[in-house]
Amino acid sequence: MFLRQRALGSLAAPLRASRAASIRTYASPAVTVTSTRSNATAPLLGNIEASWKDLSAEEQYEIHQQLRELQKKDWKELTVDEKKAAYWVAFGPHGPRAPIHGPNHGFQVFAITAGVIGASVATFMFFRSTTPPPPHTMTKEYQEQMTEYMRSQKMNPISGVSSEGYQGKGMVQ
């Protein structure tokens, strides 16, 4: 297994080096971030939240790497904008931490749920209004007559309606 990891590591190293070289090649020099406490980098770092989406992937990577190098210094030497930019690049709502849903997502879920419930109630009421009435054998009077008929015919005399001391409802539902 060690040989396999070593072989994969030797293959991955040139890929990493070529990627880093290509990123350095395509990154624009206007994006350079240095900790000189000058106002030259203040507009970029002070408003990194707004400008981050407009930067290309290479420029974002370059800023990320330069901020990573700046963080290796003593944090007391960094400006407030550099500290905020480093925190935002590391933990800000971009990339995989970008919000999935829009600002009105809760209302949309509520509206769709209410619409589905309303449609199901309307469908239920429609089918309920178009069904025929229940058969006459389901009325309480008919079921009571059936219980009396069972008693007169002495049906199930051991444990049913015709037994002594029966206190059930009989055929009434």
Side-chain angles (χ1 to χ4, degrees), residues 51-73:
S51 63
W52 186 258
K53 290 182 181 178
D54 298 333
L55 298 174
S56 66
E58 291 84 15
E59 292 171 337
Q60 290 177 357
Y61 182 76
E62 188 67 29
I63 290 174
H64 177 69
Q65 292 302 320
Q66 290 176 357
L67 284 172
R68 192 168 158 193
E69 290 299 319
L70 286 176
Q71 292 178 53
K72 291 180 182 177
K73 293 188 201 178

PDB file of all heavy atoms in Angstrom, residues 51-73:
ATOM      1  N   SER A  51     -16.820  42.145  -4.376  1.00  0.00           N
ATOM      2  CA  SER A  51     -16.024  41.912  -5.581  1.00  0.00           C
ATOM      3  C   SER A  51     -15.635  40.455  -5.772  1.00  0.00           C
ATOM      4  O   SER A  51     -15.118  40.103  -6.827  1.00  0.00           O
ATOM      5  CB  SER A  51     -14.769  42.781  -5.541  1.00  0.00           C
ATOM      6  OG  SER A  51     -13.957  42.414  -4.444  1.00  0.00           O
ATOM      7  N   TRP A  52     -15.875  39.600  -4.804  1.00  0.00           N
ATOM      8  CA  TRP A  52     -15.431  38.208  -4.895  1.00  0.00           C
ATOM      9  C   TRP A  52     -16.084  37.470  -6.069  1.00  0.00           C
ATOM     10  O   TRP A  52     -15.433  36.711  -6.776  1.00  0.00           O
ATOM     11  CB  TRP A  52     -15.724  37.487  -3.586  1.00  0.00           C
ATOM     12  CG  TRP A  52     -15.179  36.100  -3.532  1.00  0.00           C
ATOM     13  CD1 TRP A  52     -15.858  34.943  -3.698  1.00  0.00           C
ATOM     14  CD2 TRP A  52     -13.820  35.718  -3.305  1.00  0.00           C
ATOM     15  NE1 TRP A  52     -15.029  33.874  -3.579  1.00  0.00           N
ATOM     16  CE2 TRP A  52     -13.761  34.318  -3.333  1.00  0.00           C
ATOM     17  CE3 TRP A  52     -12.652  36.428  -3.086  1.00  0.00           C
ATOM     18  CZ2 TRP A  52     -12.573  33.614  -3.145  1.00  0.00           C
ATOM     19  CZ3 TRP A  52     -11.484  35.720  -2.890  1.00  0.00           C
ATOM     20  CH2 TRP A  52     -11.457  34.331  -2.928  1.00  0.00           C
ATOM     21  N   LYS A  53     -17.379  37.672  -6.290  1.00  0.00           N
ATOM     22  CA  LYS A  53     -18.073  36.979  -7.375  1.00  0.00           C
ATOM     23  C   LYS A  53     -17.609  37.449  -8.751  1.00  0.00           C
ATOM     24  O   LYS A  53     -17.683  36.697  -9.711  1.00  0.00           O
ATOM     25  CB  LYS A  53     -19.582  37.183  -7.258  1.00  0.00           C
ATOM     26  CG  LYS A  53     -20.187  36.473  -6.086  1.00  0.00           C
ATOM     27  CD  LYS A  53     -21.679  36.673  -6.041  1.00  0.00           C
ATOM     28  CE  LYS A  53     -22.276  35.975  -4.849  1.00  0.00           C
ATOM     29  NZ  LYS A  53     -23.709  36.176  -4.750  1.00  0.00           N
ATOM     30  N   ASP A  54     -17.139  38.685  -8.843  1.00  0.00           N
ATOM     31  CA  ASP A  54     -16.713  39.228 -10.129  1.00  0.00           C
ATOM     32  C   ASP A  54     -15.318  38.748 -10.526  1.00  0.00           C
ATOM     33  O   ASP A  54     -14.944  38.849 -11.693  1.00  0.00           O
ATOM     34  CB  ASP A  54     -16.733  40.758 -10.093  1.00  0.00           C
ATOM     35  CG  ASP A  54     -18.128  41.303  -9.837  1.00  0.00           C
ATOM     36  OD1 ASP A  54     -19.103  40.600 -10.195  1.00  0.00           O
ATOM     37  OD2 ASP A  54     -18.244  42.412  -9.294  1.00  0.00           O
ATOM     38  N   LEU A  55     -14.546  38.237  -9.566  1.00  0.00           N
ATOM     39  CA  LEU A  55     -13.190  37.781  -9.865  1.00  0.00           C
ATOM     40  C   LEU A  55     -13.230  36.402 -10.522  1.00  0.00           C
ATOM     41  O   LEU A  55     -14.117  35.595 -10.242  1.00  0.00           O
ATOM     42  CB  LEU A  55     -12.365  37.706  -8.576  1.00  0.00           C
ATOM     43  CG  LEU A  55     -12.161  39.014  -7.816  1.00  0.00           C
ATOM     44  CD1 LEU A  55     -11.448  38.756  -6.498  1.00  0.00           C
ATOM     45  CD2 LEU A  55     -11.369  39.996  -8.656  1.00  0.00           C
ATOM     46  N   SER A  56     -12.254  36.141 -11.373  1.00  0.00           N
ATOM     47  CA  SER A  56     -12.158  34.820 -11.996  1.00  0.00           C
ATOM     48  C   SER A  56     -11.665  33.818 -10.957  1.00  0.00           C
ATOM     49  O   SER A  56     -11.185  34.184  -9.881  1.00  0.00           O
ATOM     50  CB  SER A  56     -11.219  34.861 -13.191  1.00  0.00           C
ATOM     51  OG  SER A  56      -9.903  35.123 -12.740  1.00  0.00           O
ATOM     52  N   ALA A  57     -11.752  32.558 -11.292  1.00  0.00           N
ATOM     53  CA  ALA A  57     -11.316  31.512 -10.359  1.00  0.00           C
ATOM     54  C   ALA A  57      -9.830  31.623 -10.064  1.00  0.00           C
ATOM     55  O   ALA A  57      -9.394  31.397  -8.927  1.00  0.00           O
ATOM     56  CB  ALA A  57     -11.646  30.137 -10.929  1.00  0.00           C
ATOM     57  N   GLU A  58      -9.056  31.988 -11.062  1.00  0.00           N
ATOM     58  CA  GLU A  58      -7.620  32.125 -10.858  1.00  0.00           C
ATOM     59  C   GLU A  58      -7.316  33.284  -9.911  1.00  0.00           C
ATOM     60  O   GLU A  58      -6.452  33.186  -9.036  1.00  0.00           O
ATOM     61  CB  GLU A  58      -6.896  32.343 -12.197  1.00  0.00           C
ATOM     62  CG  GLU A  58      -6.906  31.130 -13.101  1.00  0.00           C
ATOM     63  CD  GLU A  58      -8.181  31.035 -13.924  1.00  0.00           C
ATOM     64  OE1 GLU A  58      -8.928  32.027 -14.010  1.00  0.00           O
ATOM     65  OE2 GLU A  58      -8.425  29.947 -14.475  1.00  0.00           O
ATOM     66  N   GLU A  59      -8.008  34.392 -10.090  1.00  0.00           N
ATOM     67  CA  GLU A  59      -7.787  35.544  -9.211  1.00  0.00           C
ATOM     68  C   GLU A  59      -8.236  35.226  -7.787  1.00  0.00           C
ATOM     69  O   GLU A  59      -7.566  35.614  -6.821  1.00  0.00           O
ATOM     70  CB  GLU A  59      -8.547  36.757  -9.747  1.00  0.00           C
ATOM     71  CG  GLU A  59      -7.986  37.284 -11.049  1.00  0.00           C
ATOM     72  CD  GLU A  59      -8.877  38.345 -11.678  1.00  0.00           C
ATOM     73  OE1 GLU A  59     -10.091  38.389 -11.378  1.00  0.00           O
ATOM     74  OE2 GLU A  59      -8.352  39.127 -12.476  1.00  0.00           O
ATOM     75  N   GLN A  60      -9.345  34.521  -7.643  1.00  0.00           N
ATOM     76  CA  GLN A  60      -9.801  34.127  -6.312  1.00  0.00           C
ATOM     77  C   GLN A  60      -8.762  33.233  -5.641  1.00  0.00           C
ATOM     78  O   GLN A  60      -8.453  33.397  -4.457  1.00  0.00           O
ATOM     79  CB  GLN A  60     -11.141  33.401  -6.397  1.00  0.00           C
ATOM     80  CG  GLN A  60     -12.294  34.281  -6.770  1.00  0.00           C
ATOM     81  CD  GLN A  60     -13.587  33.501  -6.921  1.00  0.00           C
ATOM     82  OE1 GLN A  60     -13.619  32.284  -6.800  1.00  0.00           O
ATOM     83  NE2 GLN A  60     -14.660  34.214  -7.189  1.00  0.00           N
ATOM     84  N   TYR A  61      -8.238  32.288  -6.399  1.00  0.00           N
ATOM     85  CA  TYR A  61      -7.216  31.395  -5.852  1.00  0.00           C
ATOM     86  C   TYR A  61      -5.962  32.175  -5.447  1.00  0.00           C
ATOM     87  O   TYR A  61      -5.378  31.927  -4.395  1.00  0.00           O
ATOM     88  CB  TYR A  61      -6.862  30.309  -6.871  1.00  0.00           C
ATOM     89  CG  TYR A  61      -5.844  29.325  -6.374  1.00  0.00           C
ATOM     90  CD1 TYR A  61      -6.196  28.341  -5.467  1.00  0.00           C
ATOM     91  CD2 TYR A  61      -4.519  29.393  -6.795  1.00  0.00           C
ATOM     92  CE1 TYR A  61      -5.269  27.439  -4.998  1.00  0.00           C
ATOM     93  CE2 TYR A  61      -3.579  28.498  -6.333  1.00  0.00           C
ATOM     94  CZ  TYR A  61      -3.959  27.519  -5.432  1.00  0.00           C
ATOM     95  OH  TYR A  61      -3.034  26.633  -4.956  1.00  0.00           O
ATOM     96  N   GLU A  62      -5.564  33.123  -6.267  1.00  0.00           N
ATOM     97  CA  GLU A  62      -4.371  33.923  -5.971  1.00  0.00           C
ATOM     98  C   GLU A  62      -4.577  34.754  -4.693  1.00  0.00           C
ATOM     99  O   GLU A  62      -3.691  34.815  -3.836  1.00  0.00           O
ATOM    100  CB  GLU A  62      -4.046  34.824  -7.158  1.00  0.00           C
ATOM    101  CG  GLU A  62      -2.746  35.549  -7.038  1.00  0.00           C
ATOM    102  CD  GLU A  62      -1.539  34.634  -7.095  1.00  0.00           C
ATOM    103  OE1 GLU A  62      -1.609  33.582  -7.738  1.00  0.00           O
ATOM    104  OE2 GLU A  62      -0.521  34.996  -6.462  1.00  0.00           O
ATOM    105  N   ILE A  63      -5.727  35.373  -4.561  1.00  0.00           N
ATOM    106  CA  ILE A  63      -6.023  36.148  -3.338  1.00  0.00           C
ATOM    107  C   ILE A  63      -6.031  35.232  -2.130  1.00  0.00           C
ATOM    108  O   ILE A  63      -5.486  35.564  -1.080  1.00  0.00           O
ATOM    109  CB  ILE A  63      -7.365  36.893  -3.473  1.00  0.00           C
ATOM    110  CG1 ILE A  63      -7.239  38.028  -4.483  1.00  0.00           C
ATOM    111  CG2 ILE A  63      -7.825  37.433  -2.129  1.00  0.00           C
ATOM    112  CD1 ILE A  63      -8.537  38.733  -4.782  1.00  0.00           C
ATOM    113  N   HIS A  64      -6.635  34.071  -2.294  1.00  0.00           N
ATOM    114  CA  HIS A  64      -6.687  33.111  -1.190  1.00  0.00           C
ATOM    115  C   HIS A  64      -5.277  32.710  -0.754  1.00  0.00           C
ATOM    116  O   HIS A  64      -4.977  32.667   0.451  1.00  0.00           O
ATOM    117  CB  HIS A  64      -7.480  31.877  -1.615  1.00  0.00           C
ATOM    118  CG  HIS A  64      -7.519  30.805  -0.582  1.00  0.00           C
ATOM    119  ND1 HIS A  64      -8.200  30.951   0.592  1.00  0.00           N
ATOM    120  CD2 HIS A  64      -6.948  29.582  -0.548  1.00  0.00           C
ATOM    121  CE1 HIS A  64      -8.056  29.849   1.315  1.00  0.00           C
ATOM    122  NE2 HIS A  64      -7.293  29.005   0.639  1.00  0.00           N
ATOM    123  N   GLN A  65      -4.404  32.431  -1.705  1.00  0.00           N
ATOM    124  CA  GLN A  65      -3.035  32.034  -1.377  1.00  0.00           C
ATOM    125  C   GLN A  65      -2.264  33.182  -0.730  1.00  0.00           C
ATOM    126  O   GLN A  65      -1.520  32.979   0.229  1.00  0.00           O
ATOM    127  CB  GLN A  65      -2.300  31.545  -2.644  1.00  0.00           C
ATOM    128  CG  GLN A  65      -2.844  30.237  -3.176  1.00  0.00           C
ATOM    129  CD  GLN A  65      -2.771  29.123  -2.149  1.00  0.00           C
ATOM    130  OE1 GLN A  65      -1.799  28.990  -1.419  1.00  0.00           O
ATOM    131  NE2 GLN A  65      -3.829  28.327  -2.085  1.00  0.00           N
ATOM    132  N   GLN A  66      -2.439  34.398  -1.228  1.00  0.00           N
ATOM    133  CA  GLN A  66      -1.724  35.534  -0.654  1.00  0.00           C
ATOM    134  C   GLN A  66      -2.226  35.850   0.755  1.00  0.00           C
ATOM    135  O   GLN A  66      -1.439  36.166   1.645  1.00  0.00           O
ATOM    136  CB  GLN A  66      -1.851  36.745  -1.575  1.00  0.00           C
ATOM    137  CG  GLN A  66      -1.060  36.562  -2.857  1.00  0.00           C
ATOM    138  CD  GLN A  66      -1.249  37.708  -3.830  1.00  0.00           C
ATOM    139  OE1 GLN A  66      -2.009  38.631  -3.578  1.00  0.00           O
ATOM    140  NE2 GLN A  66      -0.544  37.645  -4.958  1.00  0.00           N
ATOM    141  N   LEU A  67      -3.530  35.733   0.956  1.00  0.00           N
ATOM    142  CA  LEU A  67      -4.045  35.936   2.308  1.00  0.00           C
ATOM    143  C   LEU A  67      -3.561  34.831   3.235  1.00  0.00           C
ATOM    144  O   LEU A  67      -3.309  35.070   4.423  1.00  0.00           O
ATOM    145  CB  LEU A  67      -5.577  35.982   2.288  1.00  0.00           C
ATOM    146  CG  LEU A  67      -6.186  37.280   1.768  1.00  0.00           C
ATOM    147  CD1 LEU A  67      -7.688  37.138   1.608  1.00  0.00           C
ATOM    148  CD2 LEU A  67      -5.865  38.431   2.695  1.00  0.00           C
ATOM    149  N   ARG A  68      -3.408  33.652   2.723  1.00  0.00           N
ATOM    150  CA  ARG A  68      -2.899  32.545   3.523  1.00  0.00           C
ATOM    151  C   ARG A  68      -1.461  32.840   3.966  1.00  0.00           C
ATOM    152  O   ARG A  68      -1.081  32.557   5.111  1.00  0.00           O
ATOM    153  CB  ARG A  68      -2.958  31.280   2.682  1.00  0.00           C
ATOM    154  CG  ARG A  68      -2.739  30.027   3.416  1.00  0.00           C
ATOM    155  CD  ARG A  68      -3.123  28.889   2.513  1.00  0.00           C
ATOM    156  NE  ARG A  68      -2.466  27.686   2.938  1.00  0.00           N
ATOM    157  CZ  ARG A  68      -2.403  26.588   2.232  1.00  0.00           C
ATOM    158  NH1 ARG A  68      -2.956  26.562   1.040  1.00  0.00           N
ATOM    159  NH2 ARG A  68      -1.805  25.533   2.686  1.00  0.00           N
ATOM    160  N   GLU A  69      -0.677  33.406   3.067  1.00  0.00           N
ATOM    161  CA  GLU A  69       0.693  33.777   3.425  1.00  0.00           C
ATOM    162  C   GLU A  69       0.706  34.915   4.444  1.00  0.00           C
ATOM    163  O   GLU A  69       1.527  34.938   5.355  1.00  0.00           O
ATOM    164  CB  GLU A  69       1.486  34.175   2.177  1.00  0.00           C
ATOM    165  CG  GLU A  69       1.790  33.020   1.249  1.00  0.00           C
ATOM    166  CD  GLU A  69       2.631  31.944   1.918  1.00  0.00           C
ATOM    167  OE1 GLU A  69       3.571  32.283   2.663  1.00  0.00           O
ATOM    168  OE2 GLU A  69       2.326  30.751   1.705  1.00  0.00           O
ATOM    169  N   LEU A  70      -0.209  35.882   4.276  1.00  0.00           N
ATOM    170  CA  LEU A  70      -0.277  36.992   5.227  1.00  0.00           C
ATOM    171  C   LEU A  70      -0.633  36.507   6.625  1.00  0.00           C
ATOM    172  O   LEU A  70      -0.162  37.055   7.626  1.00  0.00           O
ATOM    173  CB  LEU A  70      -1.317  38.022   4.772  1.00  0.00           C
ATOM    174  CG  LEU A  70      -0.944  38.912   3.592  1.00  0.00           C
ATOM    175  CD1 LEU A  70      -2.113  39.800   3.220  1.00  0.00           C
ATOM    176  CD2 LEU A  70       0.273  39.750   3.930  1.00  0.00           C
ATOM    177  N   GLN A  71      -1.448  35.472   6.713  1.00  0.00           N
ATOM    178  CA  GLN A  71      -1.889  34.980   8.018  1.00  0.00           C
ATOM    179  C   GLN A  71      -0.773  34.268   8.776  1.00  0.00           C
ATOM    180  O   GLN A  71      -0.903  34.047   9.975  1.00  0.00           O
ATOM    181  CB  GLN A  71      -3.066  34.025   7.846  1.00  0.00           C
ATOM    182  CG  GLN A  71      -4.315  34.707   7.361  1.00  0.00           C
ATOM    183  CD  GLN A  71      -5.438  33.717   7.148  1.00  0.00           C
ATOM    184  OE1 GLN A  71      -5.756  32.966   8.040  1.00  0.00           O
ATOM    185  NE2 GLN A  71      -6.012  33.738   5.957  1.00  0.00           N
ATOM    186  N   LYS A  72       0.291  33.923   8.106  1.00  0.00           N
ATOM    187  CA  LYS A  72       1.414  33.287   8.783  1.00  0.00           C
ATOM    188  C   LYS A  72       2.191  34.289   9.631  1.00  0.00           C
ATOM    189  O   LYS A  72       2.942  33.904  10.516  1.00  0.00           O
ATOM    190  CB  LYS A  72       2.341  32.624   7.765  1.00  0.00           C
ATOM    191  CG  LYS A  72       1.697  31.426   7.103  1.00  0.00           C
ATOM    192  CD  LYS A  72       2.611  30.779   6.105  1.00  0.00           C
ATOM    193  CE  LYS A  72       1.917  29.605   5.434  1.00  0.00           C
ATOM    194  NZ  LYS A  72       2.762  28.988   4.405  1.00  0.00           N
ATOM    195  N   LYS A  73       2.018  35.568   9.358  1.00  0.00           N
ATOM    196  CA  LYS A  73       2.667  36.610  10.147  1.00  0.00           C
ATOM    197  C   LYS A  73       1.930  36.792  11.472  1.00  0.00           C
ATOM    198  O   LYS A  73       0.896  36.193  11.716  1.00  0.00           O
ATOM    199  CB  LYS A  73       2.623  37.938   9.397  1.00  0.00           C
ATOM    200  CG  LYS A  73       3.417  38.011   8.153  1.00  0.00           C
ATOM    201  CD  LYS A  73       3.372  39.442   7.710  1.00  0.00           C
ATOM    202  CE  LYS A  73       3.666  39.672   6.290  1.00  0.00           C
ATOM    203  NZ  LYS A  73       3.561  41.066   5.943  1.00  0.00           N
TER     204      LYS A  73
END
